[in-house]
Amino acid sequence: MAKIYTGENIKEGIRILADFMKEAKYTVVLTGAGMDTESNIPDFRSQDGLWRKMDPRLVASIDTFEENYSLFRDFYSERIKRLKDVKPHEGHYVLADFEKRGIIKCIATQNVSDLHRMAGNDKVYELHGNIRKIRCNYCNHKAELEDFLNREKCANCGRDALRPEVVLFGEALPMDEWLWAEEDIRKSDLIIVIGTSLEVAPVNQLPMLTRGKRVLINMEDVDIYYDFDLKLMGKAGEILRELREVYDSL
Ligand code: OAD
C-alpha cells in the first residue's frame, strides 16, 4: 500500500514525486474534473459535484438527446455559459510548462473544458470530448457555440440536432484519442493521475497500462485496486505549483 502524503508531510511526498520525474524517461498525465475545480468548474462526485444534484442519465445521455432534446440542450447550454469566463489556474500552466520542457509527454484527460490547451499544452487526448465544439448529431456538420446557444437548427441538414462534441452516457469514446492515449501510457514509465475518482470506465483502466510507477494527486484517496506507488492528497493546483519548484531545485 502506498503511503499517503498530506497536510504537514506533503512536501516530503512532493519531493519523492520530483525524484520519480527526474528518473523517468516517459512521464504521462491523466486528469479528471478535480483538475478544474480550482478554476471554478464543479466536479461530478464531490459534495458539490454535478451528479450529486442530478442524475446524469436524465440529462447527459444519448437517450435524453433523442427523447427530450430541449432538456438536453438546456442542460448543456447552462454548462457552456458557465464556462464563459473560466480560465486555467496555475496548475494547468505548470503542466503546460512541463510539456514544453519535455518533462511530461502528454495529457490524457476526461475533462471537456479545454483548459489544458488554453494553458498551452499541445498533446492533449480528450477522452470525453470537448464541450466547446459543436456538431450536428446526424450529418456531423460543424457549427459555432453560438448556434447551439441560440437554439439554431443544423445549417446543413436542417434538423434540430446540434450538440457539443462530448461523450454522452450510452456512447463510445472517440477511438483515435483513446488509441493514442493508450499507446502513450503503455510506453510510459511514470503516470501521474490528477483529480479523478477513477469511477468511470474505461478511462479508469488506463493507469494500469503503464509499465512504470503510478502516482495519485487527489483531494481524497480513491484507490481501490490501483496499487499506486505514491499518493499526494491535497489541491492539484497547489501541489503542482510546489512540484515545479522542487523539481527545478534538484
Ligand atoms: P469526479 O467528480 O468523479 O472525481 C473528481 C475527483 O477530484 C474527486 O475524487 C475529488 O475529491 C477530486 N478533487 C476535487 N477537487 C480537487 C482539487 N482541487 N485537487 C485535487 N483533487 C480534487 O470526476 P471524474 O473522475 O473526472 O464523464 O469523473 C469522470 C467522468 O464522470 C467525467 O468525465 C464525466 C463524469 O460522468 C462524462 O460526462 C462522460
Side-chain angles (χ1 to χ4, degrees):
M1 285 278 272
K3 185 170 171 194
I4 296 180
Y5 292 86
T6 188
E8 281 177 7
N9 68 8
I10 193 95
K11 284 200 162 113
E12 200 186 331
I14 290 173
R15 168 64 201 256
I16 298 171
L17 174 53
D19 283 336
F20 284 177
M21 291 168 74
K22 289 273 172 180
E23 281 162 26
K25 305 237 170 333
Y26 210 96
T27 299
V28 298
V29 171
L30 172 67
T31 62
M35 182 71 213
D36 286 357
T37 55
E38 288 158 79
S39 288
N40 288 325
I41 304 176
D43 66 9
F44 297 94
R45 295 175 184 79
S46 293
Q47 199 147 15
D48 295 327
L50 214 50
W51 297 159
R52 295 276 182 142
K53 299 186 185 108
M54 59 190 95
D55 178 348
R57 280 168 209 286
L58 295 182
V59 284
S61 69
I62 188 66
D63 291 344
T64 308
F65 174 88
E66 280 163 2
E67 289 158 18
N68 194 346
Y69 180 63
S70 64
L71 176 68
F72 170 89
R73 187 170 50 193
D74 287 351
F75 171 70
Y76 276 101
S77 294
E78 272 314 303
R79 278 184 66 185
I80 291 168
K81 282 182 202 155
R82 272 191 241 125
L83 285 182
K84 195 166 162 267
D85 298 319
V86 159
K87 294 190 177 58
H89 61 69
E90 205 175 341
H92 291 104
Y93 288 110
V94 169
L95 292 178
D97 181 46
F98 279 164
E99 186 188 343
K100 285 196 185 88
R101 294 161 64 190
I103 299 164
I104 65 168
K105 302 299 179 198
C106 68
I107 298 179
T109 186
Q110 298 166 92
N111 299 343
V112 297
S113 60
D114 215 17
L115 289 184
H116 287 307
R117 280 225 179 75
M118 286 165 73
N121 280 96
D122 187 34
K123 214 166 158 198
V124 182
Y125 305 127
E126 293 177 315
L127 301 169
H128 288 168
N130 184 320
I131 201 169
R132 299 176 197 262
K133 294 184 183 163
I134 303 292
R135 67 173 167 86
C136 172
N137 191 54
Y138 295 107
C139 72
N140 277 329
H141 186 74
K142 307 271 179 227
E144 300 297 322
L145 260 186
E146 289 307 315
D147 298 337
F148 180 70
L149 295 176
N150 293 336
R151 304 175 164 211
E152 286 176 23
K153 295 184 192 304
C154 171
N156 184 51
C157 71
R159 295 174 88 159
D160 228 354
L162 295 185
R163 57 168 287 182
E165 288 200 23
V166 294
V167 176
L168 302 177
F169 284 84
E171 289 187 319
L173 270 54
M175 188 55 86
D176 285 354
E177 308 276 316
W178 173 265
L179 290 175
W180 292 325
E182 191 185 321
E183 190 184 331
D184 260 341
I185 294 171
R186 282 190 195 280
K187 266 194 247 169
S188 71
D189 52 4
L190 173 62
I191 183 165
I192 306 172
V193 178
I194 307 174
T196 171
S197 62
L198 290 172
E199 280 198 23
V200 176
V203 174
N204 62 2
Q205 304 304 307
L206 288 174
M208 308 304 287
L209 301 183
T210 182
R211 57 188 170 82
K213 292 191 169 71
R214 279 183 279 270
V215 175
L216 177 70
I217 299 176
N218 210 54
M219 287 287 271
E220 56 183 342
D221 188 11
V222 296
D223 189 5
I224 312 158
Y225 40 70
Y226 291 92
D227 198 17
F228 281 99
D229 295 279
L230 172 68
K231 291 174 179 175
L232 308 180
M233 300 291 104
K235 285 189 171 179
E238 291 173 9
I239 292 174
L240 287 168
R241 190 177 55 220
E242 180 105 14
L243 176 63
R244 177 167 56 181
E245 270 175 34
V246 175
Y247 182 93
D248 286 342
S249 71
L250 293 177

